Amino acid sequence: MSAVIQSIDQIVSINPATGEEIGRVGVTSPDDVAAAIERSRDIFHRWKTTSFSERRRLVMKARDVILAEKEEIAHLISSESGKPFGEAISMEIAPVLDLMQWIAKNAEKMLRPRRVNIGLYAMMGRSSKIVYHPLGVVGIIPAWNFPFSIPLGEAVMALMAGNTAVIKPSELTPLVGLKIGEIFEKAGFPENAVQIVLGAGETGAALVEAAPDKIMFTGSVATGRKIAAAAARNLTSCVLELGGKDPMIVFDDANLELAAGAAVWGAFCNAGQSCSSVERLYVQQNVAETLTKLIVSKTSELVQGSGDREDVSIGPMSSERQIKIVEDHVNDFRENGATVLTGGKRNADAVVRNEAGARTLFFEPTVITGATNDMRAMQEETFGPTLPITTFKTEEEAIALANDSEFGLTASVWTRDLAKGKRVAEQIEAGSVCINEVLYTHGIGQTPWGGFKNSGQGHTHGREGLMELVQPQHIHTNHLSILPDAWWMPYTPTAVETFRGFATKFASGSLIKTARLMPQLWKRISELRKKKS
Ligand code: NDP
């Protein structure tokens, strides 16, 4: 059974669309967080010895549990986070199911001990291999915006690598967090292999303080900095998946109809609360008017409302704090001369009126033109349904505008000329760059996910993400251990001459040059053997 530790105060989970209470959970005390880490460490010593086939079996069991309960899980995600029910299936459940089957089938192959080509050292009868050890307890601190797929995917990767996990879900989505614990429990994972601790930022801080062996954090740059500083005190290494201000570049040869559809989805899905949302659109000047008209027209077709309705494309924002940031940014655009073409305010029509009172967390999908990079709202992460549009004339200008940001999470380039697309993509400072595609690459679990610049540090997903969860150990063997090494003590003039040869001949990597070192090497080894007695 996966333990759930709760005590002291309570968190009330609220549906952001309706304001209704969904449930309440107890907050885990710092002492109980530390105790959870200890229990996790105890079970780690057993879990790390399980075979890959057993780990695979349990992960595939957990997949079966999710599949059997996918409707219920999607409704829970939708009601706690506000995202449309369909989006909970397409952007949380489907991608994590794919990640689970992939990592279950491939972790063993990726973590198999591997021989390393050590070049000319092999000539001296040496060999090296790398074996991978699990780290221990992985502390997972996710954001509320993808409350299911991100922590669940990270826990599954940690488990497949032989680690155990303690998850601290966001205080806005504690019930989804508990559901994750329940899934591992139902799948038959050993007790305490995955534990859920509950609470707000303080509980996350207690988790960091309790010194897990790795921290996987997803959230804002500000919290990421705090966590990195706190983790440094225990030398705990962190993967930090942080914010974004992701650019979309549309060239005049792009399929504008598709680019407009992608911009609308990229900017407004999850009400713009995705780390890889399109937050800046740069369009080549001569097609700006056409593209903007298409975007406004597609935006006007979107239905906003409670996420449990299947015809709704945009739900509410997650919290009053988040909607205030969006209002602030829209005001910043207006005050600095940009034009709001559609949206720009809370959506009174979408408000759900009930006993819990009117909810005003719906912000209309907002399209803005005349934005420029010197506006504050073009530099800070908005994390809401806004799509500011800027024009450019040349390829160089588009690249410079896209890179003019402290962030570098994802980007997209739209053009029919794939050579140009690749050329531009490789010059964008971002962890993932799509050509004629937008936003969804976090869903490709086989590929590394991580940000450049202030968008983060380290990776989740892919081989690179798996490598974050293990300790590579180098095993080096001397197969000719009948002779002393030439570099051992005592040093002599013969030794120093041999060392010169190492620098000039051996370290050249050339077999021919190294062969010329052999007489000197042998002289030195003979010298050492004579000194033996
Ligand atoms: P926050 O940084 O506010 O919170 C993230 C998590 O950290 C939450 O669980 C939070 O708890 C917890 N937390 C808060 N303070 C502390 C602390 N001092 N020590 C430890 N944990 C703490 O981010 P948001 O929840 O607002 O998430 C939005 C941000 O996440 C955006 O910037 C977005 O871009 C980014 N993000 C990045 C992704 C990526 O892959 N790069 C993916 C998804 C989101 P609580 O919520 O209970 O306060």
Side-chain angles (χ1 to χ4, degrees), residues 11 141-146 150 168-172 199-206 208 217-224 226-227 240-244 273-276 321-322 381 383 407 409 442 449 451 455 460:
I11 296 175
I141 306 177
W144 43 265
N145 65 334
F146 283 90
I150 291 183
K168 199 297 284 179
S170 166
E171 65 184 313
L172 295 179
E202 304 79 56
T203 312
V208 176
F217 171 73
T218 307
S220 61
V221 176
T223 311
K226 280 191 210 159
I227 286 183
L240 304 174
E241 298 289 5
L242 309 178
Q273 301 168 114
S274 304
C275 48
S276 47
R321 183 184 73 119
Q322 207 55 47
E381 185 180 42
F383 223 51
F407 297 106
L409 191 56
H442 186 270
W449 177 260
S455 285
T460 55

Side-chain angles (χ1 to χ4, degrees), residues 61 68 134 142 150 195 215 237 250 274 342 348 403 408 414 481 484 497 521:
K61 229 21 226 308
I150 291 183
Q195 294 175 85
I215 292 164
S237 97
V250 184
S274 304
T342 180
N403 286 340
W414 291 76
S481 64
E497 188 51 28
L521 191 61

Side-chain angles (χ1 to χ4, degrees), residues 12-234:
V12 181
S13 171
I14 301 281
N15 180 329
T18 64
E20 286 162 347
E21 178 179 329
I22 312 170
R24 355 189 119 205
V25 299
V27 171
T28 313
S29 73
D31 284 349
D32 284 345
V33 171
I37 295 283
E38 283 318 306
R39 278 194 298 277
S40 197
R41 202 158 270 135
D42 286 347
I43 189 67
F44 163 69
H45 293 294
R46 183 151 71 80
W47 177 251
K48 71 178 179 186
T49 64
T50 52
S51 64
F52 278 102
S53 60
E54 175 63 359
R55 294 178 202 169
R56 186 182 310 128
R57 186 186 70 78
L58 288 170
V59 168
M60 295 308 278
K61 229 21 226 308
R63 267 188 102 255
D64 291 344
V65 174
I66 297 170
L67 272 172
E69 298 182 15
K70 70 176 189 321
E71 302 290 311
E72 179 203 320
I73 295 171
H75 276 298
L76 178 62
I77 297 170
S78 169
S79 62
E80 222 178 24
S81 70
K83 70 182 65 183
F85 166 76
E87 216 170 82
I89 297 182
S90 67
M91 293 187 72
E92 297 238 39
I93 294 177
V96 86
L97 287 173
D98 188 44
L99 171 75
M100 288 169 87
Q101 61 80 18
W102 169 73
I103 196 70
K105 286 179 195 152
N106 292 287
E108 181 173 14
K109 196 165 57 199
M110 288 189 278
L111 296 177
R112 204 168 271 154
R114 69 184 174 90
R115 252 179 205 292
V116 178
N117 180 351
I118 54 174
L120 297 177
Y121 288 101
M123 268 178 55
M124 298 196 293
R126 316 296 159 100
S127 71
S128 282
K129 75 173 177 181
I130 309 297
V131 295
Y132 297 99
H133 296 278
L135 299 172
V137 181
V138 178
I140 300 175
I141 306 177
W144 43 265
N145 65 334
F146 283 90
F148 187 71
S149 58
I150 291 183
L152 178 60
E154 289 175 356
V156 164
M157 288 193 66
L159 290 162
M160 280 308 300
N163 303 291
T164 53
V166 177
I167 304 174
K168 199 297 284 179
S170 166
E171 65 184 313
L172 295 179
T173 52
L175 299 181
V176 175
L178 288 181
K179 189 74 202 175
I180 292 172
E182 193 187 307
I183 288 165
F184 286 112
E185 183 185 327
K186 285 185 177 167
F189 276 83
E191 185 175 6
N192 298 325
V194 178
Q195 294 175 85
I196 313 295
V197 295
L198 296 166
E202 304 79 56
T203 312
L207 179 56
V208 176
E209 205 52 48
D213 300 286
K214 184 92 184 191
I215 292 164
M216 307 294 286
F217 171 73
T218 307
S220 61
V221 176
T223 311
R225 282 189 210 282
K226 280 191 210 159
I227 286 183
R233 287 198 286 276
N234 291 317

Side-chain angles (χ1 to χ4, degrees), residues 251-419:
F251 285 102
D252 59 5
D253 62 344
N255 180 328
L256 297 183
E257 177 67 30
L258 287 184
V264 168
W265 182 69
F268 303 142
C269 75
N270 205 16
Q273 301 168 114
S274 304
C275 48
S276 47
S277 289
V278 174
E279 291 221 1
R280 298 177 287 150
L281 193 154
Y282 300 106
V283 54
Q284 204 149 18
Q285 203 170 39
N286 50 330
V287 294
E289 200 181 324
T290 313
L291 182 75
T292 305
K293 273 191 188 146
L294 284 167
I295 288 173
V296 170
S297 151
K298 287 179 189 298
T299 302
S300 68
E301 290 164 13
L302 303 177
V303 176
Q304 187 163 32
S306 179
D308 56 0
R309 280 172 44 196
E310 292 198 358
D311 63 333
V312 157
S313 296
I314 307 187
M317 306 288 305
S318 63
S319 65
E320 185 62 28
R321 183 184 73 119
Q322 207 55 47
I323 205 167
K324 284 215 161 84
I325 298 172
V326 180
E327 285 176 326
D328 172 44
H329 283 191
V330 171
N331 285 340
D332 182 67
F333 280 124
R334 282 201 180 100
E335 284 164 13
N336 287 289
T339 307
V340 174
L341 294 179
T342 180
K345 59 180 192 327
R346 295 188 193 222
N347 187 341
D349 297 338
V351 166
V352 179
R353 288 173 209 286
N354 56 25
E355 283 159 17
R359 292 297 281 175
T360 54
L361 292 183
F362 295 92
F363 199 89
E364 290 176 350
T366 300
V367 182
I368 296 161
T369 51
T372 52
N373 270 17
D374 55 2
M375 295 174 187
R376 183 168 56 85
M378 284 292 273
Q379 293 295 332
E380 295 174 2
E381 185 180 42
T382 305
F383 223 51
T386 56
L387 179 56
I389 302 175
T390 303
T391 59
F392 68 86
K393 291 199 182 90
T394 64
E395 189 177 314
E396 293 70 30
E397 192 191 355
I399 295 165
L401 286 167
N403 286 340
D404 172 26
S405 172
E406 65 167 297
F407 297 106
L409 191 56
T410 77
S412 70
V413 182
W414 291 76
T415 171
R416 285 194 170 91
D417 176 350
L418 291 186

